[in-house]
Amino acid sequence: MPNTVLVTQSLPDQYLDSLAEHAELDVLEADQHLSDSALAMRRAACHGVVCTLTDTIDRDVLQDMENLEFVSSVSVGVDHIDVSALSARGIAVGNTPGVLVDTTADTAFALLLAAARRIAEGDRYIRDGKWTASKRWTPDFFLGKDVSGSTLGIVGLGPIGQAMAQRAAGFGMTLASWTPSGREVTGVRSMPLEELLATSDFVSVHVALSDTTRNLIDGARIATMKPGAVLINTARGGIVDESAVAAALDDGHLFAAGLDVFEEEPVPADSPLLKHPRVVVVPHIGSATASTRRKMVDLAVANAVAALRGEPMPYCVNPEVYTSL
Ligand code: GLV
């Protein structure tokens, strides 16, 4: 009997074809979730899962998946997956690093520019019919914040943080960083997080979400940020305390924020963030270009095919499962 792979989001047909050469595919409908109780038999029957970051794979979901041999996620972040529970069972987890680095750094820098120069706010202003002749141009009209010549503090100096540094260097920014691994990169001055927050005009978050980074930028830390600073987050929502960001914008401590990710996605319509004109929001599109998404799906399929062949996944977040066999 061939192996069965549960595919939680329909991939383009040509990818399903290439996966289907190696396994029987059980593709969920768009409104079905891996955890649905009605899917228990399908969960139990599958040997592998190809999923995205919207699929939570925790101990509850794993309970009845006794045949599971691998999980391949179309994402670089794996905070939606209980990797340690899978590692304990010797199950490999694949992700899609590398291919989305530049695209995501482009998004972060776009948010930085848009937040600094009030681009989304200006767009709304015109569309709402507020740009009138009396306010055509005055020296103090729609003032933003200079990017060039200011300091960017990068929280997390992995590949995306480093790509952000390259972009910022091109804009003549001074670069500071703090990273949990202590990594040093030429041209970027590493410093304690407290110093980075107190001295940076812009702070951009690029750490993965984990138990140690959850709520890393909390209310107390936001209060220590340089007055008038701008906060950018393209990493994960749980790293930044959103209500503290909204409060700091309201009281004028922060100048603006640019956010691609949220504690809850889709971000609720009544989120205080959405009420603030200086918050630039986009719907978790950091890696969303056609060529990058194609490369991500390619990697996820390559991971799944390797696992189905009994080979190590090329991009595995818990490679220890191969050595501990
Ligand atoms: C996107 O957020 C990803 O983790 O790939």
Side-chain angles (χ1 to χ4, degrees):
M1 205 169 84
N3 283 328
T4 301
V5 174
L6 243 172
V7 181
T8 65
Q9 259 202 16
S10 304
L11 306 177
D13 282 350
Q14 71 268 33
Y15 297 109
L16 289 181
D17 285 353
S18 79
L19 260 184
E21 286 170 20
H22 301 272
E24 201 150 275
L25 303 186
D26 181 4
V27 183
L28 299 191
E29 302 294 320
D31 59 348
Q32 289 180 321
H33 299 285
L34 202 53
S35 57
D36 291 350
S37 50
L39 298 178
M41 305 258 285
R42 289 163 75 179
R43 275 198 300 277
C46 81
H47 297 90
V49 169
V50 176
C51 65
T52 73
L53 56 83
T54 62
D55 300 299
T56 301
I57 302 188
D58 57 14
R59 282 171 201 269
D60 286 345
V61 168
L62 290 169
Q63 226 166 24
D64 49 17
M65 299 182 87
E66 58 261 20
N67 288 311
L68 188 65
E69 286 163 15
F70 71 88
V71 173
S72 173
S73 184
V74 186
S75 64
V76 66
V78 289
D79 49 285
H80 54 297
I81 301 172
D82 188 336
V83 176
S84 55
L86 287 159
S87 298
R89 284 176 51 185
I91 297 172
V93 179
N95 72 337
T96 62
V99 291
L100 46 57
V101 167
D102 283 319
T103 305
T104 307
D106 286 348
T107 305
F109 211 79
L111 285 172
L112 184 152
L113 288 171
R117 299 304 308 277
R118 305 173 62 181
I119 301 296
E121 195 185 346
D123 180 279
R124 281 193 304 272
Y125 188 81
I126 293 180
R127 289 175 200 275
D128 291 348
K130 293 182 180 159
W131 194 28
T132 55
S134 63
K135 288 186 201 149
R136 182 173 160 211
W137 193 99
T138 62
D140 60 354
F141 180 59
F142 246 94
L143 301 184
K145 196 176 159 71
D146 276 318
V147 170
S148 138
S150 62
T151 296
L152 171 65
I154 302 172
V155 176
L157 208 45
I160 300 174
Q162 291 178 48
M164 185 67 173
Q166 282 174 355
R167 283 151 182 75
F171 273 74
M173 299 181 90
T174 300
L175 302 174
S177 75
W178 172 83
T179 199
S181 69
R183 179 184 281 121
E184 304 261 344
V185 168
T186 309
V188 184
R189 196 159 83 79
S190 67
M191 57 181 65
L193 182 57
E194 284 63 33
E195 186 183 347
L196 179 148
L197 295 174
T199 57
S200 297
D201 303 296
F202 295 84
V203 172
S204 190
V205 178
H206 299 285
V207 284
L209 176 61
S210 67
D211 289 345
T212 47
T213 61
R214 190 174 298 283
N215 220 18
L216 179 71
I217 310 295
D218 61 6
R221 288 206 164 107
I222 289 169
T224 67
M225 286 176 71
K226 188 171 174 178
V230 172
L231 181 65
I232 307 298
N233 187 9
T234 51
R236 281 292 184 271
I239 300 164
V240 170
D241 180 336
E242 289 178 2
S243 40
V245 172
L249 285 158
D250 284 343
D251 69 20
H253 180 60
L254 291 183
F255 179 78
L259 306 171
D260 177 43
V261 288
F262 303 88
E263 278 162 25
E264 185 184 337
E265 294 180 1
V267 62
D270 63 354
S271 162
L273 290 169
L274 302 185
K275 295 194 178 68
H276 205 286
R278 300 258 184 95
V279 179
V280 185
V281 285
V282 286
H284 204 146
I285 56 168
S287 63
T289 66
S291 75
T292 293
R293 285 290 163 81
R294 188 190 161 120
K295 287 176 197 160
M296 290 170 71
V297 175
D298 273 343
L299 287 196
V301 170
N303 278 337
V305 169
L308 288 162
R309 286 187 171 139
E311 295 162 8
M313 288 180 166
Y315 300 94
C316 182
V317 298
N318 57 348
E320 67 277 10
V321 297
Y322 298 122
T323 48
S324 60
L325 287 178

